[in-house]
Amino acid sequence: MIPTISTIPIAELASGDILSIQVYKFVGAKPGKKAYLQANLHGAEIVGNAVIAQLIEFLKTLDDTQLAGEIWLVPTCNPLGTNQRSHHFSSGRYNHYDGKDWNRIFWDYEKEGEDIAEFAKTQLDLEPSQIRQNYRQKIKNCFDRAIEKIDKPSSVSFSDRYRYHLQGLCLDADYVLDLHSSTNQSIDYLYCFQGQEESARYFLLDASILFNEYDGNAFDEAFLKSWLALESEFEKLDRTLKLDVESWTIELGSGMQIDPDSVFRGVRGIKNYLAYKQILDISGFPLYQSFSQKVEFTPKSRVKGYYSSRGGMIRSRVDLGTCIQTGQLLYQILCFNKKGRLPEIIDVRAEASGRVFQVSTNHAVNEGEYVLGVMELSDK
Amino acid sequence: MIPTISTIPIAELASGDILSIQVYKFVGAKPGKKAYLQANLHGAEIVGNAVIAQLIEFLKTLDDTQLAGEIWLVPTCNPLGTNQRSHHFSSGRYNHYDGKDWNRIFWDYEKEGEDIAEFAKTQLDLEPSQIRQNYRQKIKNCFDRAIEKIDKPSSVSFSDRYRYHLQGLCLDADYVLDLHSSTNQSIDYLYCFQGQEESARYFLLDASILFNEYDGNAFDEAFLKSWLALESEFEKLDRTLKLDVESWTIELGSGMQIDPDSVFRGVRGIKNYLAYKQILDISGFPLYQSFSQKVEFTPKSRVKGYYSSRGGMIRSRVDLGTCIQTGQLLYQILCFNKKGRLPEIIDVRAEASGRVFQVSTNHAVNEGEYVLGVMELSDK
Amino acid sequence: MIPTISTIPIAELASGDILSIQVYKFVGAKPGKKAYLQANLHGAEIVGNAVIAQLIEFLKTLDDTQLAGEIWLVPTCNPLGTNQRSHHFSSGRYNHYDGKDWNRIFWDYEKEGEDIAEFAKTQLDLEPSQIRQNYRQKIKNCFDRAIEKIDKPSSVSFSDRYRYHLQGLCLDADYVLDLHSSTNQSIDYLYCFQGQEESARYFLLDASILFNEYDGNAFDEAFLKSWLALESEFEKLDRTLKLDVESWTIELGSGMQIDPDSVFRGVRGIKNYLAYKQILDISGFPLYQSFSQKVEFTPKSRVKGYYSSRGGMIRSRVDLGTCIQTGQLLYQILCFNKKGRLPEIIDVRAEASGRVFQVSTNHAVNEGEYVLGVMELSDK
Amino acid sequence: MIPTISTIPIAELASGDILSIQVYKFVGAKPGKKAYLQANLHGAEIVGNAVIAQLIEFLKTLDDTQLAGEIWLVPTCNPLGTNQRSHHFSSGRYNHYDGKDWNRIFWDYEKEGEDIAEFAKTQLDLEPSQIRQNYRQKIKNCFDRAIEKIDKPSSVSFSDRYRYHLQGLCLDADYVLDLHSSTNQSIDYLYCFQGQEESARYFLLDASILFNEYDGNAFDEAFLKSWLALESEFEKLDRTLKLDVESWTIELGSGMQIDPDSVFRGVRGIKNYLAYKQILDISGFPLYQSFSQKVEFTPKSRVKGYYSSRGGMIRSRVDLGTCIQTGQLLYQILCFNKKGRLPEIIDVRAEASGRVFQVSTNHAVNEGEYVLGVMELSDK
């Protein structure tokens, strides 16, 4: 199968140069669902590019009868972020022009003030596929009105232009997969929305953060929230509706690195998920271990970041992935001072038991900087 | 009058050096209201420091019988922001560590889930001064619980530490004045909350943006919102309560500059406001022109930013302060390209009439960068 | 006359996007000299782009019989620098990857260890035009060997790749004009090599810094030094040789701005210079005032930068362009402190008389930051 | 032994806060040589701080009779660099204000135009210790004249102020040890000046880069060059003079990390070196393995950096420390594009055999960015 490749200019720079994104579209012989994958929305998080490159290689080997529906892939989806450097490092988590986090800028249908409850009432007797189509059209109409602002003389900020480009590619998707990594050092895990736990297993990762709170306007949320809202409105009308629209942020290892193990797990999980969703018809998939895969779901409210209470140098830190007990020594801070005193060493201990899923790349900390993250166990 | 000066360490750096803020407190011979002033929360916005320096000079010349209550002044209130450089420029609008806007990080009592409606009911029969005191205590208790997190092993991020330092200084203030400037080039104006229009006149500035929407967690909002919420709860209980608690963001001219005219207007307005509020008893104040001062209030929803629809160089832009008509040429973009074509020039015209209150310092623009801001006239 | 326009890719970014430079070549009907102009080597210095855009417009109106030789123009010659932002500001004076000043990276034939003295001896009896041609070939051969390194597996750093791109365009030029501005606020002036004073007048600017020392590897120096070295070798051999190869850095006003006056003076001066050099045959040029134009040449060793001896805020600074006397108040520093003391004000006075030709855009200074520059008068 | 601790303010910031360096001085009971150690001159290179902290702990356990002479230690010697962040990373290799590399700013006596040859002639008949003392005084006098500039109204740039602070601490040292790490990932090694090879062994590291060329104004060079120049002048006068003044840059592992192995090797090597130099009298030192220690000296001209010839993502790179053969695959570049083509993979092979001593932390590369460094074997 050969993909259709389209190139979309997204930023004319002051110099007259243009940055683009490029979409690789594989279209199956049979109709079906649409999966949308992108990678590298944050500048340092490059693993997903290697995953997508391998998926493209793999999909090229398939026959189009093995694909039902469409798979769209967008590697290096944020050129401004990917190419940004501060010294040798990839500092592109936020836009250096305005400080905006590249993954907190997305358009959220729910905030447009449309009456979803009213819409739900009009759809009560319809089939899910029809409802999906109608709602998608409704979202699309609203989106089209929103982007009209771009063409006015006052236009919109770059963040707004950019979000319309990316979201315009996946408004009609069924499954959205946004491939991230940690800014720092991390295990592989994924973010899971409530109600998607069953599907989550097919990514074959053993750790997941379960959204029980949102911090707003992330790509995965911006796509899914309006669908969750619709399902919730049906719930109120006493109809349980499952629309099979899903959104995933998959976290593959550490920033600025391409760990082959993370790439392997990323590719395997995505193939498995697409087979489970019957987009891909590939031999042996879904893998038999999918059915016994254990995923530890940690609610987001139980994910705890440890921030340094002092300025200094981190030492003796527990390793990434360690399971820790309450009271266990997590790390020490070597503190210098400019007050004529000797250096001192501060112990920092675990507040609760859990798993260290993330550690900072930088072992120097100003007061209040990030040191590590723990997926805490529940109290039971 | 000699101020009490206290120095508060706010950041131990990785090197062992410490950054502090310093509070100059003038305490009057008579009890009264507390005014809290700070400057330079955003790194480039330095005019307020000169205003505060002049106010300190002025207050030193007063007798303590001329002051009822207290005036607290905090110049260079954000050392990390003030000292940050990128090339010769002050890039400290956001924290370079995490991209967070220094003026969108503040603690908001309203979001803590306390039952303000319930509280209002318990206070229905009390005097405003008693209600003020009770509510202040209630906020303080909640704040004290929130800051306990700092002392846990996981502690909190620098933004959270820092906000508690600043807000801890003014939780019990009656009047909060946060002195800002534009990042870019700007006229002098102020932000006004609804219901404060009468007081606004005493700053003797002719332009004001009236909050009819919030973008959240700014210093002025974080202070005032809970008080507005309480007043609103009383309204629902059919009691009109005016607590005389006010919050102001005063915008004094352009970034990275100290324009003596902006300093003059800042000092004059603040003295006049403090006299009007009967904190200062100074001859000739409030100035007679206060009573005839015209302020053009533009609702925030009618403030329009113009963003460049192309990458290139801005030319022929209207001057700062210009009153413009719909359709008038606002600026041109000189666009180069890397496609073998000649340069071109794009005209950008006004969408609506109004006053250009802000223009970008930088005449080079990548697509979607800010060019100018207009306080638009209403349609009538 | 219609230019030939060629586009040269100079940087493939991590995202797969490509940045280019674009050369506009006007070729006359008659043979003659080659003038090479570029603009915006430092990211904030955008005035030259507007100058080049106007020159292109002007040259288009000419008939090719009015041009002898060639004029090559390269606006926005450094896309990485031009597009770089830190907050709203153009921070592209140096490469954020390695800190290298974009105008200190150029290839210097003299440092390649070639024996120029020996070469001079072989050319003693030849005509200047023949010597020019032979020497150019010699430089070109050396340059070609140097760029071979690019194609090795270890390749070269971006700075080295980039310099070869730009210098490859003008190795065979007779006149090189590099259009800069100040990072800060500045008057219009130009840098003049010794021996070029007569030509300098034709730019119709009244101030010039005369090189009596180099700080190395700037674009203008990298082009001209080898020619000066050859002339000097001839001098030792008792032949005075004037090869009429010239190099200029023209400083047009302030950074991040496009002042129409600076554009006007830039365009006028360049047209006048090109007419004087008989590349352009345009009515009325060289302008009659060229002959009476006074240029104040200040040796580089008499250009003095004032750096702040304290951290604080600059106030009461003399205006740009002011002629100052020894002992005159130049500026004050408003110094805050974190030691429980009142703010203080420091006076800074002129060490010598002269002209303030540059002032910092930023009025906040950390200790040792730049405040202003003076072209000092000689002691006589 | 208890150190004397002195704190030296080095930077008053715009906010009025002050950054300092702090010197820990251990003074022995007997007279002797002076060793000066500093760490963290480049912001990301923090390992040396942990080494110095451990040395302080160790020296505290000694009796002052075990120390002949003095040991001065300066951890976090560059607060501006140490505390600088761009996103979570330590970007402080160069000053963000002017792009200057913090280790290319130092004062070089040789460039002050003093007549060292003339001085040598006056010292021909003296003892080395007397010559050392006389020359040191001569350098000191010149240095004192140079720093007078600081107190003039025009003062000096921050780099110049800062260099005088640091160099003023070690002008009279016999041994200077500057503890660095790689910006990227690195093995432990040291820089060795010619003639110091014998001493180098005592650091017990197996790899060393031998200076056969300088790139100028680094801290180690700025200290030692004038002494090498004096020895060289004596050589011309037919006297072989060894003054036992030494300067070392010790590279301990990777940036932003504190690898305990690197700390161990740093502490062990420095103790061993100081025992060898008879400053420390500690049991068992110098360690017996010092005498059999093999150091592979690679001339600086045989250290080769590999820069990416394409933009993209690095994969399949050889591990740090690998010994490679000519033609061996070193790494691949996964290249995306925005021209409608499939991604491609580029192989990069070794130009010569050697040891990979450094690899980039960041696996994303814009064209011309650093990928790895090789200490190449000689051709024999």
Side-chain angles (χ1 to χ4, degrees), chain C residues 38-54:
Chain C
Q38 70 180 18
N40 209 180
L41 181 56
H42 285 136
E45 306 177 11
I46 55 179
V47 181
N49 296 323
V51 169
I52 285 183
Q54 263 190 238

Side-chain angles (χ1 to χ4, degrees), chain B residues 32 71 87 132 146 150 161 165 171 215 223 272 281 314 330:
Chain B
I71 302 174
H87 192 24
R132 210 156 47 210
I150 292 182
R161 299 175 86 85
H165 281 301
L171 271 191
D215 56 359
F223 175 74
N272 204 48
D281 175 10
I314 300 303
L330 287 183

Side-chain angles (χ1 to χ4, degrees), chain D residues 292-334:
Chain D
S292 56
Q293 176 73 31
K294 288 269 190 310
V295 186
E296 177 76 30
F297 291 100
T298 306
K300 196 154 177 231
S301 56
R302 284 219 316 271
V303 174
K304 179 172 290 165
Y306 278 72
Y307 299 91
S308 183
S309 61
R310 299 285 305 271
M313 309 290 148
I314 300 303
R315 32 174 270 175
S316 309
R317 189 173 61 189
V318 294
D319 288 335
L320 179 63
T322 306
C323 288
I324 54 162
Q325 302 300 321
T326 308
Q328 181 178 339
L329 183 66
L330 287 182
Y331 68 91
Q332 295 181 314
I333 322 172
L334 168 60

Side-chain angles (χ1 to χ4, degrees), chain A residues 178-360:
Chain A
D178 193 12
L179 309 186
H180 282 249
S181 303
S182 173
T183 284
N184 290 290
Q185 313 293 309
S186 177
I187 64 167
D188 303 321
Y189 65 100
L190 80 167
Y191 282 95
C192 180
F193 284 90
Q194 284 179 314
Q196 294 187 178
E197 291 90 338
E198 176 58 25
S199 297
R201 290 196 295 138
Y202 288 86
F203 290 105
L204 303 170
L205 301 173
D206 64 0
S208 176
I209 295 177
L210 193 64
F211 280 114
N212 56 348
E213 53 187 36
Y214 301 137
D215 56 359
N217 296 105
F219 195 78
D220 52 1
E221 298 171 17
F223 175 73
L224 199 67
K225 274 180 64 194
S226 52
W227 294 96
L228 296 178
L230 181 61
E231 289 178 355
S232 160
E233 292 300 337
F234 272 88
E235 205 66 46
K236 290 181 199 158
L237 301 170
D238 284 327
R239 177 173 169 194
T240 297
L241 182 70
K242 284 293 161 204
L243 291 165
D244 192 27
V245 175
E246 294 184 350
S247 184
W248 304 94
T249 293
I250 304 176
E251 299 278 338
L252 295 168
S254 305
M256 298 197 288
Q257 295 174 32
I258 298 186
D259 177 352
D261 289 343
S262 293
V263 176
F264 169 79
R265 277 192 287 266
V267 171
R268 182 187 60 175
I270 291 167
K271 282 163 65 176
N272 204 47
Y273 175 78
L274 295 175
Y276 160 67
K277 288 297 186 185
Q278 299 181 323
I279 291 181
L280 286 186
D281 175 10
I282 44 179
S283 167
F285 282 85
L287 293 164
Y288 73 93
Q289 67 257 51
S290 309
F291 310 106
S292 57
Q293 176 73 31
K294 287 270 190 312
V295 186
E296 177 76 30
F297 290 99
T298 306
K300 196 155 178 230
S301 56
R302 284 218 319 271
V303 174
K304 180 173 288 164
Y306 279 72
Y307 298 90
S308 184
S309 62
R310 298 285 305 273
M313 309 291 148
I314 300 304
R315 31 173 270 174
S316 309
R317 189 173 60 190
V318 295
D319 289 335
L320 178 63
T322 305
C323 288
I324 54 163
Q325 301 301 320
T326 308
Q328 181 177 340
L329 183 66
L330 286 183
Y331 67 92
Q332 296 180 313
I333 321 172
L334 168 60
C335 296
F336 294 94
N337 66 80
K338 303 300 168 73
K339 296 188 167 168
R341 298 194 308 254
L342 290 166
E344 58 183 318
I345 289 169
I346 310 294
D347 287 346
V348 178
R349 296 181 178 282
E351 285 181 32
S353 56
R355 183 177 180 194
V356 176
F357 77 104
Q358 219 176 37
V359 294
S360 68

Side-chain angles (χ1 to χ4, degrees), chain C residues 116-325:
Chain C
I116 301 173
E118 196 54 43
F119 171 78
K121 284 181 201 155
T122 67
Q123 310 286 308
L124 252 186
D125 304 327
L126 303 182
E127 288 299 300
S129 66
Q130 186 60 49
I131 297 171
R132 212 157 46 211
Q133 188 180 320
N134 293 346
Y135 194 49
R136 207 164 262 158
Q137 189 57 52
K138 197 171 152 62
I139 294 172
K140 174 105 178 35
N141 293 344
C142 183
F143 183 81
D144 288 345
R145 285 193 303 276
I147 62 176
E148 284 169 11
K149 176 84 176 72
I150 293 181
D151 295 325
K152 290 194 181 169
S154 62
S155 197
V156 298
S157 70
F158 181 73
S159 299
D160 283 2
R161 300 175 86 84
Y162 174 59
R163 73 184 188 178
Y164 291 130
H165 282 301
L166 281 192
Q167 294 185 278
L169 293 173
C170 65
L171 271 190
D172 64 348
D174 295 279
Y175 312 121
V176 163
L177 284 73
D178 193 13
L179 308 186
H180 282 248
S181 301
S182 174
T183 285
N184 290 291
Q185 312 294 309
S186 177
I187 64 167
D188 304 321
Y189 66 99
L190 81 166
Y191 283 94
C192 180
F193 286 89
Q194 284 179 315
Q196 295 186 178
E197 291 88 338
E198 177 57 24
S199 297
R201 290 195 297 137
Y202 289 86
F203 289 105
L204 303 170
L205 300 173
D206 64 0
S208 174
I209 295 177
L210 193 64
F211 281 115
N212 55 350
E213 52 187 37
Y214 302 135
D215 56 0
N217 296 104
F219 195 78
D220 54 0
E221 298 171 17
F223 175 74
L224 199 69
K225 274 180 64 194
S226 53
W227 294 96
L228 296 178
L230 181 62
E231 288 179 355
S232 160
E233 292 300 337
F234 271 89
E235 205 66 46
K236 291 181 197 158
L237 300 170
D238 284 328
R239 177 174 168 194
T240 297
L241 181 70
K242 286 291 162 204
L243 290 165
D244 192 27
V245 175
E246 294 183 353
S247 184
W248 304 94
T249 294
I250 304 176
E251 300 277 338
L252 295 168
S254 304
M256 299 197 287
Q257 294 174 32
I258 298 187
D259 176 351
D261 289 342
S262 292
V263 176
F264 169 79
R265 278 192 287 265
V267 171
R268 180 187 63 175
I270 290 166
K271 282 163 63 175
N272 204 48
Y273 175 78
L274 295 174
Y276 161 67
K277 288 298 186 184
Q278 299 180 323
I279 291 181
L280 287 185
D281 176 9
I282 44 178
S283 169
F285 283 87
L287 294 162
Y288 74 94
Q289 67 257 51
S290 310
F291 310 106
S292 57
Q293 177 72 31
K294 286 271 189 313
V295 186
E296 178 76 30
F297 291 99
T298 307
K300 195 154 178 229
S301 56
R302 284 218 319 273
V303 174
K304 179 172 290 164
Y306 279 72
Y307 299 91
S308 183
S309 63
R310 297 286 305 271
M313 310 290 148
I314 301 303
R315 31 174 271 174
S316 309
R317 188 172 61 190
V318 294
D319 288 335
L320 178 63
T322 306
C323 289
I324 54 163
Q325 301 301 320

